[in-house]
Amino acid sequence: MKQLTFTAEAKQRIAKYLRPGKKIVLDFDDGVGPFSAIGNCSLDANCRLIFVNQNADLHDFDERVASNIGDVWIKSEPYANIQFENQMEVRFNPKYFTMPLVSPTKGTLTENLEVVDLTEPVATEYKGTHDC
């Protein structure tokens, strides 16, 4: 089973989002799912930590990752999941006010894990296409 660890500094940075009745999603912006309107056209990793209501439809996020802040849901598809290893860590860089997502063997997956708090469930997902 995969494990995601948040350092004490990262936990302090996101403490205001940690409330009962929320689910936590680690989203790789690939154009799949209700939080990814058009996907990421650049070659960088665009990962987001998204806090949603407990009743949000997360059918695209079908793999549970244990963490020291609660369960985190990710997509199990290989193209969205290939970067995630069994042990990952979220850190906080106070100099740049960023939260790097780090793998012990592959290094930094993203320099800044974006934090998004959605208080209402997302009703629909984007059905169109786009051209990068």
Side-chain angles (χ1 to χ4, degrees):
M1 176 178 231
K2 291 184 170 118
Q3 176 73 36
L4 182 62
T5 303
F6 290 77
T7 64
E9 296 83 6
K11 284 171 56 176
Q12 183 177 355
R13 165 73 176 92
I14 62 170
K16 66 182 176 183
Y17 304 107
L18 298 173
R19 294 178 297 215
K22 292 281 186 180
K23 283 185 182 175
I24 306 167
V25 174
L26 182 58
D27 182 38
F28 176 69
D29 189 9
D30 58 356
V32 175
F35 311 113
S36 189
I38 60 171
N40 186 9
C41 292
S42 65
L43 297 177
D44 62 333
N46 186 20
C47 297
R48 298 173 293 175
L49 192 64
I50 303 173
F51 294 86
V52 298
N53 287 332
Q54 191 70 29
N55 60 350
D57 180 13
L58 299 176
H59 65 273
D60 294 305
F61 298 88
D62 56 349
E63 185 175 347
R64 182 178 61 87
V65 176
S67 87
N68 57 342
I69 63 167
D71 291 338
V72 177
W73 295 90
I74 64 171
K75 300 171 198 166
S76 66
E77 292 119 352
Y79 66 87
N81 193 332
I82 194 91
Q83 303 92 341
F84 302 136
E85 295 193 25
N86 286 338
Q87 300 293 320
M88 298 288 290
E89 184 176 67
V90 176
R91 300 174 181 165
F92 178 67
N93 181 336
K95 181 176 181 180
Y96 299 110
F97 209 70
T98 57
M99 290 198 329
L101 176 60
V102 180
S103 158
T105 59
K106 294 181 181 177
T108 302
L109 178 59
T110 184
E111 289 290 338
N112 187 26
L113 186 61
E114 182 183 358
V115 178
V116 180
D117 185 14
L118 299 176
T119 57
E120 297 297 323
V122 176
T124 62
E125 62 183 88
Y126 185 78
K127 302 283 188 203
T129 61
H130 72 289
D131 185 6
C132 295

